[in-house]
Amino acid sequence: MLLSSLKNSCRCIAFCNRVGVCLALLLLFMLDSCATLSRYRGVGRIRRYDICDARLPQKFDGFTVGFLSDTHYPSKFTRKRLANVARAIGDLSPDVLLLGGDYVTSDVHADELFVALGGCAVPYGKYAVLGNHDVKRVGILQQSMQRNGIKLLADAADTLRIDDSQIYLCGVKEYDKNVQKSWLQQHSDSGFTILLVHTPDYAQDAGVENVALTFSGHTHGGQVTLLGLYAPVTNSRYGRRFLSGLNYTDRGIPVVTSNGLGTSRKKIRFCAPSDIIFVTLHCKQSVCD
């Protein structure tokens, strides 16, 4: 009788331990998918990635790229949060800053946004593309960008140089894969090329084989998800494939998709934390293995 009771007690303890472990893992999973972990209020996370590519010139080894998108300013992304983003960029000190589109909810907020972002000290410049919500205010946005030292890449490209080495940065104005693919094909032997485009689907659809790295936004990480596993709205024809973070096209091109900073339609986020992306480039694959 005593032996039987002891066995039952052991089974109960073992079961409780398993339940405890499962609950702990579930809590960690929820924290990973939903929690705001950044010390900058209004920025849910600073997401860091290392990208390795043998095409990267040696002098660009360790070069850093800051990327933010979908501010939809002000939406849920208020003035105080904008100041925190500028502070975060200053602390991260990227070599170049990229902006992925969908900037403001009304014309009057353009200058306030770009004064803050343009004031960030970035040695190799600040570059932007337009998003689908920017089409009706292109002129206002472009003028504000120019006043604040931000270069708009509207189906255009620029070259970043360190001494005699260079990499290329190109941007798509709208979702027109024929225009930008044509430019990329002309530069297919030019070495390391970064593509900046609002919609992540572009890298998959356009077949841009010579691109080394793509930055995109648009999806908001779903904005509202079920623990990051299911999103009712993805804003992508590929569902969750390019929804958030670092993913790859069929041709192996890395696509980094930001969850964005602001919100559209409803001022709510759930299990899709806002973010700033910080990428470090490497020319040796061993760093990423």
Side-chain angles (χ1 to χ4, degrees), residues 262-276:
T263 53
S264 63
R265 299 185 180 91
K266 301 294 184 180
K267 296 182 182 181
I268 183 174
R269 277 189 178 273
F270 183 75
C271 289
S274 61
D275 61 27
I276 293 176

Side-chain angles (χ1 to χ4, degrees), residues 84-195:
N84 287 334
V85 166
R87 184 165 61 90
I89 294 169
D91 292 346
L92 289 169
S93 298
D95 291 310
V96 67
L97 178 64
L98 307 182
L99 310 177
D102 281 3
Y103 298 107
V104 295
T105 58
S106 67
D107 297 352
V108 298
H109 293 106
D111 273 343
E112 190 173 359
L113 174 67
F114 293 124
V115 164
L117 297 180
C120 299
V122 183
Y124 289 87
K126 297 169 278 278
Y127 295 86
V129 291
L130 299 175
N132 55 297
H133 287 274
D134 300 324
V135 176
K136 60 184 178 182
R137 51 177 64 95
V138 173
I140 290 172
L141 293 174
Q142 186 170 18
Q143 291 170 16
S144 183
M145 288 179 187
Q146 288 175 343
R147 286 194 294 269
N148 293 287
I150 300 169
K151 184 170 183 176
L152 177 63
L153 295 177
D155 296 329
D158 204 356
T159 304
L160 305 182
R161 291 184 173 87
I162 298 179
D163 298 330
D164 58 346
S165 298
Q166 59 192 22
I167 63 175
Y168 299 95
L169 176 62
C170 56
V172 176
K173 181 175 62 176
E174 296 176 22
Y175 194 79
D176 184 351
K177 56 188 175 185
N178 295 318
V179 173
Q180 195 59 25
K181 185 176 181 181
S182 175
W183 184 89
L184 291 168
Q185 287 173 333
Q186 294 173 26
H187 294 74
S188 59
D189 298 322
S190 297
F192 193 92
T193 299
I194 295 174
L195 173 63

